[in-house]
Amino acid sequence: MGFRRAAGAEISADGTWTNFSKRHSVRPRRVVAPADLDGLRRVLKETAADGARLRVVGSGHSYNDVAVAPETQVSLRHLDKVLDVDTAAARVKVEGGATLRKIRTVLGRHGLAFANMGDIDHQSIAGALSTGTHGTGLAAPAFASQVVEMELMLAGGSVVRCGAEDGDLFDAARVSLGALGVIVSVTLQAVPAYNLRRSDAIVTRDEAFTLLADPPAIDHIGLYFMPYIDQVLMWTAERTGDPVDKPSAPREWFRDVVKVNYGLDAMGMVARRAPRLVPALSRAFARGIRPETTVDTYDKVFLRPLFVRHDAFEFAVEQAQGPDCVRHLMSAMEDAEVPAAFPCETRIAPAESAWLHPSYGRTSTWVGAAIQSPGIDVDGAWQEAQRACVAVGGRPHWGKWHTLEAAELRGLYPRWDDFTALRTELDPGGLFGSPAIDRILGHV
C-alpha cells in the first residue's frame, strides 16, 4: 500500500524543509540549532547584523506556511529540557523546544497530567502555544490557559519573564505566532493524573447539529463529519475514578493502525483515482467504527494516533454559529465534488484570554475539515467555507489552512492593535519575520 508514518516536517538531502502536509517547502539560507541560550543569543545578533530575519520552527506540523523560514531557520531541538517539576504546586518548567510527548511523560512519572490536550503530541510546547493549539471540552483549557509563566528572548538578546501579573505581555506572548521573541521556557500548571471514560458512537447529521447547538454537560465531545454521508462519528469522554479497562494491545493496534491509518490511506488512494467511489468508501469506513466504551489514562484517550499525511482547515466561530458553519463547510465540499474521504472534526472549547487565540473572549465551536494530501484540490471549497466562517466573525487556527491577511484579520480580534503596538515595541526591526508573518500580521 506504500503507507508510511508521517509525524512532522521532512528535510531532504539538499536541506529543503517540507511541512507535514507537503503543501509548503523552503530551502533556508541558514539553518541553526543552538545548544544553549548563549548560542541562541549569538544567532539573533548575527542575523540582525546581516540584515536578515529568522523564524523558529518546531515539529513542522503546521499545515500552512507560518513556520516557513526562507532566511534563518532556528530549531530549539537542543533546548528541550524539563527544567523543574514542583509536585506540591503541580507545576512543570520546560524549555521551549520540549515536545508535548516529553512533557507528558515526565508529568506522568510524578503523578501529574495536562489539564487538556489535542490529539497529537509531536509538537514542541513553543510551537503549540504560538499557534493556539487546543483540545475539546466546554471547560477544558487550551495550552495557552495552562501557562503560568513564560520567558522570551527578545530581538536584542535579553530574556524577559512574564506571568499573569504582567497583564498585556503575558496575554500577548502566549499566542504570538513567534513574532514577539523566542519562547525559551514555559511553566505550566498541571493537574493530578486522571482517567477518562471514552464512548464512541455513530449519530446522524441532524443529531450532531442538535448536540452542537445545545452541548451536553460532559467533559469532552468531538464530532467527525464526513462529506457525502449522513453518519457522524462521535466520541465523548468524562473523568472517572474507575481503573483502566480497554481492549487488548493487539485489538488496539488493529483499531488504530490497521483500521484507521491503513484504512484512510487506502481510501485516499482510491479517492484520487476514482472520486465517484468516495461516498461508498466513507459509508464503509463509518460502518467499520465499532461503538464501544473504554476507560484509559487521559493521554491515551486524547491521543488517537493518526499517521496519514493530510491537510487541514479549522476556524473558531461563536458557539451558536457552529451548526450553520459546519453545514456550509460540508455543502462547499460536496458542491465542489471534492474527493474527500476523511473525517472532519468539530469540537467545542471555552473562551481564552490570550489576545490572538482564535477562541479569545468567547466559547467557540471549532469547525474543521481534513483531506488526504497531497494531490486533492480542495482550495476552492475551503475558500467558500472560509467566507461563511468569517461572515460570522470566525477566526482561523494559526497552524492550519487559511488565506486571510492582516487587513481582514484585524477586524476579527478585539486586541489586534494592542498586539501590533507591542510587537513594534519589542521587535522594532522586524527580526522575527517572514513572508507569512508579513502577510498575516503585517510589516513592523
Side-chain angles (χ1 to χ4, degrees):
M1 223 182 289
F3 174 76
R4 62 190 282 267
R5 296 187 176 201
E10 291 185 354
I11 301 174
S12 65
D14 70 352
T16 297
W17 179 96
T18 302
N19 75 329
F20 171 77
S21 66
K22 288 199 169 183
R23 186 183 276 265
H24 299 283
S25 294
V26 68
R27 186 177 179 186
R29 295 178 200 166
R30 184 185 184 199
V31 177
V32 290
D36 52 31
L37 293 187
D38 286 338
L40 176 60
R41 191 172 288 111
R42 283 194 298 273
V43 171
L44 267 57
K45 291 182 176 179
E46 291 167 359
T47 304
D50 290 341
R53 301 190 294 178
L54 62 81
R55 293 291 290 156
V56 175
V57 299
S59 68
H61 210 282
S62 287
Y63 300 84
N64 58 26
D65 61 345
V66 70
V68 169
E71 298 175 66
T72 298
Q73 182 188 82
V74 180
S75 167
L76 299 182
R77 66 177 180 271
H78 299 309
L79 294 168
D80 69 340
K81 298 183 230 14
V82 174
L83 300 172
D84 182 62
V85 180
D86 183 340
T87 53
R91 290 183 176 180
V92 59
K93 183 176 181 179
V94 301
E95 291 184 307
T99 64
L100 302 183
R101 179 174 297 175
K102 184 172 190 175
I103 299 168
R104 73 170 175 83
T105 300
V106 172
L107 287 174
R109 293 180 191 141
H110 293 270
L112 299 173
F114 287 126
N116 191 21
M117 63 189 305
D119 52 13
I120 60 171
D121 62 358
H122 313 306
Q123 312 103 306
S124 67
I125 185 61
L129 288 171
S130 295
T131 55
T133 296
H134 65 96
T136 183
L138 281 168
F143 282 113
S145 287
Q146 298 174 48
V147 176
V148 294
E149 188 175 88
M150 299 175 67
E151 288 182 309
L152 293 178
M153 182 174 288
L154 304 181
S158 63
V159 174
V160 59
R161 180 182 292 107
C162 60
E165 67 278 5
D166 297 298
D168 287 359
L169 179 58
F170 186 63
D171 288 340
R174 283 179 291 148
V175 181
S176 68
L177 283 74
L180 299 182
V182 182
I183 298 174
V184 294
S185 82
V186 179
T187 301
L188 297 160
Q189 181 65 57
V191 298
Y194 56 97
N195 290 348
L196 289 170
R197 181 182 303 279
R198 172 169 172 149
S199 295
D200 292 270
I202 303 291
V203 298
T204 66
R205 281 195 183 184
D206 284 345
E207 289 170 332
F209 291 138
T210 298
L211 289 167
L212 287 177
D214 186 18
I218 197 166
D219 292 333
H220 307 278
I221 182 170
L223 295 160
Y224 290 94
F225 292 79
M226 296 184 77
Y228 310 108
I229 67 172
D230 188 49
Q231 295 94 330
V232 178
L233 319 180
M234 179 180 75
W235 70 272
T236 60
E238 291 187 286
R239 292 198 182 197
T240 178
D242 292 345
V244 170
D245 178 16
K246 62 178 183 176
S248 64
R251 215 179 107 202
E252 273 194 304
W253 178 84
F254 181 79
R255 179 194 65 196
D256 294 338
V257 177
V258 176
K259 188 182 290 186
V260 174
N261 284 280
Y262 279 94
L264 287 174
D265 191 57
M267 287 166 62
M269 288 191 291
V270 174
R272 292 181 184 93
R273 292 166 174 77
R276 68 185 184 281
L277 296 180
V278 166
L281 290 170
S282 295
R283 281 191 291 270
F285 181 81
R287 283 196 299 270
I289 300 300
R290 177 181 173 182
E292 64 178 347
T293 298
T294 59
V295 176
D296 210 339
T297 57
Y298 82 102
D299 50 336
K300 297 294 179 59
V301 169
F302 288 138
L303 299 171
R304 289 298 175 96
L306 184 60
F307 310 121
V308 179
R309 198 175 298 278
H310 58 281
D311 209 349
F313 164 109
E314 193 172 35
F315 270 71
V317 302
E318 191 171 358
Q319 191 253 319
Q321 303 291 342
D324 281 346
C325 286
V326 175
R327 288 187 183 96
H328 279 294
L329 173 62
M330 290 296 104
S331 293
M333 296 178 72
E334 290 162 357
D335 291 347
E337 298 183 350
V338 175
F342 209 95
C344 301
E345 187 173 23
T346 294
R347 295 174 275 182
I348 300 174
E352 294 287 331
S353 57
W355 289 351
L356 291 193
H357 199 287
S359 289
Y360 175 79
R362 67 191 187 197
T363 300
S364 300
T365 297
W366 285 88
V367 179
I371 58 163
Q372 289 91 344
S373 67
I376 295 177
D377 182 8
V378 73
D379 286 18
W382 283 358
Q383 284 278 6
E384 182 62 33
Q386 176 179 262
R387 280 191 287 271
C389 291
V390 171
V392 295
R395 304 163 184 155
H397 188 304
W398 293 120
K400 297 184 180 179
W401 182 100
H402 72 92
T403 63
L404 300 182
E405 300 186 358
E408 301 161 288
L409 290 161
R410 181 172 180 253
L412 300 174
Y413 288 86
R415 303 300 298 269
W416 186 270
D417 289 344
D418 296 321
F419 182 91
T420 299
L422 187 58
R423 179 187 171 210
T424 301
E425 176 188 338
L426 296 181
D427 184 20
L431 177 66
F432 302 111
S434 67
I437 293 301
D438 294 343
R439 184 182 71 253
I440 296 169
L441 296 179
H443 294 269
V444 172

